[in-house]
């Protein structure tokens, strides 16, 4: 029974919970982390499966969350993922359960995940060219990603969405190629502006391929028309391609922020609540939980954490500071 919503001071209510299951990843994407990787969280700091499921249960049963997305790092490297999904599904058939993944290993796990109750997946894929994929990810694993995508589609984990970041001088000449491929395979493509969430803190606005540039690249080859379905709190602006039925989305987090409609809250792999992807402060649920806090006490802490959410991420503000944690340690 919902006791109170996760509301902030600006009238927004969080109903979409992003749960990071690990900060580890088996790719080394250049816009996320250095080639040598990062110092991973010590295992004792990472939430156990039981702790993850307990906090999801509090969010669903006490705080009105109705959508849960499992993220990382790379969630497929979490050994207990299938069981966590199964236990989350037991909280209610009404829940929308999804995962964001790089799809390495998805060919082996898609059927099990679907059987456990996962509804769909978002797959990160910036190119369908093997050499470009290796340049970006520092791994020659494109074939595994493509196999994983096909397995997800065949297992019914749809609509299968593909998330792509265009990098200037690397793959920004491949936008049309990627869209044509996704349309032919039945995948829903979303281009995402590169955000200042890299571990190296090397992001620069002038190097980012903007939404306006993405539209210009696509409109050289396609006719884009605004989709009829309402956007709501979805991050992507959606467009039909050449009259449909295929669509493409653009998520302009930097140049066209949608903070006013945000309904998301994040739980890191080490049990910290983040009320914004770009927040520089966190609220610790893990320590309180391990010290014996009740479900009601943990729910109270979560509510307080959401009250402190800022009106917007402030990337355009000259005082903006990039979060200390990179995306792999926050969870998308």
């Amino acid at each position: 029974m919902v006791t109170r919503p996760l509301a902030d001071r600006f009238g927004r209510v969080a109903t979409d919970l992003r749960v990071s299951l690990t900060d580890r990843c088996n790719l080394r994407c250049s816009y996320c982390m250095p080639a040598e990787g990062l110092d991973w969280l010590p295992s004792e700091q990472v939430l156990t499966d039981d702790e993850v499921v307990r906090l999801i249960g509090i969010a669903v049963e006490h705080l009105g969350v109705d959508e849960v997305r499992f993220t990382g790092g790379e969630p497929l490297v979490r050994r207990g993922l299938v069981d966590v999904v199964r236990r989350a599904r037991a909280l209610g058939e009404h829940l929308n359960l999804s995962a964001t993944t790089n799809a390495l290993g998805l060919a082996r796990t898609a059927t099990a995940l679907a059987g456990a109750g996962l509804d769909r997946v978002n797959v990160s894929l910036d190119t369908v060219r093997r050499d470009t994929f290796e340049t970006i990810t520092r791994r020659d694993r494109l074939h595994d990603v493509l196999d994983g995508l096909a397995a997800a589609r065949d297992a019914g984990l749809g609509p299968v969405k593909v998330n792509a970041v265009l990098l200037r001088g690397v793959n920004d000449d491949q936008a049309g190629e990627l869209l044509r491929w996704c349309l032919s395979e039945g995948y829903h493509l979303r281009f995402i502006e590169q955000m200042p969430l890299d571990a190296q803190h090397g992001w620069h606005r002038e190097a980012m391929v903007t939404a306006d540039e993405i539209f210009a690249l696509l409109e050289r080859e396609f006719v884009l028309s605004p989709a009829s379905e309402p956007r709501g709190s979805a991050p992507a602006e959606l467009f039909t391609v050449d009259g449909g039925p295929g669509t493409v989305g653009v998520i302009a987090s930097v140049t066209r922020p949608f903070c006013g409609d945000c309904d998301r809250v994040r739980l890191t792999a080490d049990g910290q609540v983040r009320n914004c992807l770009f927040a520089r402060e966190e609220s610790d649920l893990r320590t309180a939980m391990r010290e014996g806090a009740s479900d009601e006490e943990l729910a109270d802490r979560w509510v307080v954490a959401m009250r402190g959410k800022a009106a917007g991420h402030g990337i355009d503000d000259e005082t903006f500071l990039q979060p200390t944690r990179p995306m792999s340690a926050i969870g998308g």
Side-chain angles (χ1 to χ4, degrees):
M1 181 177 181
V2 177
T3 55
R4 51 217 178 278
L6 284 172
D8 63 31
R9 297 166 296 162
F10 304 96
R12 297 167 298 191
V13 176
T15 57
D16 180 344
L17 172 62
R18 308 295 172 95
V19 179
S20 177
L21 295 176
T22 179
D23 63 328
R24 297 172 184 264
C25 188
N26 41 17
L27 294 180
R28 296 291 181 270
C29 296
S30 59
Y31 55 82
C32 186
M33 65 176 70
E36 65 273 16
L38 300 168
D39 293 328
W40 309 125
L41 288 167
S43 58
E44 66 272 12
Q45 293 183 18
V46 176
L47 296 177
T48 66
D49 290 356
D50 287 345
E51 290 171 334
V52 169
V53 173
R54 182 184 175 191
L55 290 176
I56 293 173
I58 291 170
V60 171
E61 296 171 351
H62 292 266
L63 302 171
V65 163
D66 58 18
E67 182 171 352
V68 178
R69 181 177 301 181
F70 299 103
T71 71
E74 173 45 51
L76 291 182
V77 306
R78 175 87 180 216
R79 292 181 179 177
L81 174 60
V82 172
D83 188 54
V84 169
V85 170
R86 182 178 294 110
R87 294 168 68 185
R89 172 54 66 203
L91 294 170
E93 289 300 316
H94 70 287
L95 285 178
N96 183 324
L97 299 181
S98 61
T100 294
T101 171
N102 62 27
L104 298 188
L106 191 55
R108 298 190 303 271
T109 55
T111 299
L113 288 168
L118 194 71
D119 292 309
R120 62 176 186 83
V121 292
N122 284 25
V123 173
S124 301
L125 178 64
D126 305 318
T127 179
V128 286
R129 297 184 191 178
R130 180 178 175 182
D131 57 342
T132 308
F133 183 90
E134 187 171 0
T135 295
I136 294 173
T137 68
R138 304 185 178 102
R139 299 290 187 272
D140 183 14
R141 302 291 299 275
L142 176 61
H143 58 288
D144 291 317
V145 177
L146 301 186
D147 289 347
L149 277 162
R153 179 184 58 202
D154 294 345
L157 293 173
V160 176
K161 296 183 180 180
V162 171
N163 297 335
V165 175
L166 294 182
L167 304 174
R168 197 175 301 283
V170 179
N171 66 336
D172 56 338
D173 60 337
Q174 301 172 35
E177 176 183 320
L178 184 57
L179 177 54
R180 279 192 300 274
W181 182 81
C182 284
L183 292 172
S184 70
E185 297 292 330
Y187 306 139
H188 295 211
L189 178 61
R190 305 288 184 266
F191 289 102
I192 304 175
E193 288 182 335
Q194 183 188 358
M195 294 179 282
L197 291 168
D198 60 306
Q200 309 92 300
H201 287 213
W203 180 91
H204 296 287
R205 176 181 285 271
E206 58 272 16
M208 179 189 71
V209 180
T210 67
D212 286 346
E213 291 176 286
I214 294 169
F215 288 124
L217 290 167
L218 294 177
E219 287 171 345
R220 293 175 186 173
E221 304 179 48
F222 307 95
V223 176
L224 304 183
S225 305
S228 57
E229 60 187 83
R231 180 177 179 179
S233 60
E237 293 182 70
L238 198 61
F239 298 83
T240 58
V241 180
D242 292 340
T247 62
V248 65
V250 176
I251 300 176
S253 302
V254 177
T255 64
R256 304 182 186 185
F258 39 88
C259 301
D261 295 313
C262 181
D263 65 350
R264 288 169 289 285
V265 60
R266 289 171 169 81
L267 180 67
T268 65
D270 55 347
Q272 311 299 307
V273 170
R274 294 181 67 91
N275 57 32
C276 174
L277 184 59
F278 295 95
R280 292 184 60 82
E281 296 180 351
E282 301 175 333
S283 299
D284 184 5
L285 296 186
R286 183 196 66 215
T287 300
M289 178 167 52
R290 292 180 177 178
E291 290 178 349
S294 66
D295 287 0
E296 291 74 18
E297 289 169 334
L298 292 171
D300 286 341
R301 286 174 174 264
W302 212 324
V303 169
V304 171
M306 286 305 297
R307 292 291 293 174
K309 184 171 183 172
H313 55 49
I315 294 176
D316 279 331
D317 193 307
E318 60 183 21
T319 64
F320 173 78
L321 294 175
Q322 184 172 331
T324 311
R325 292 209 206 206
M327 175 66 101
S328 61
I330 295 172

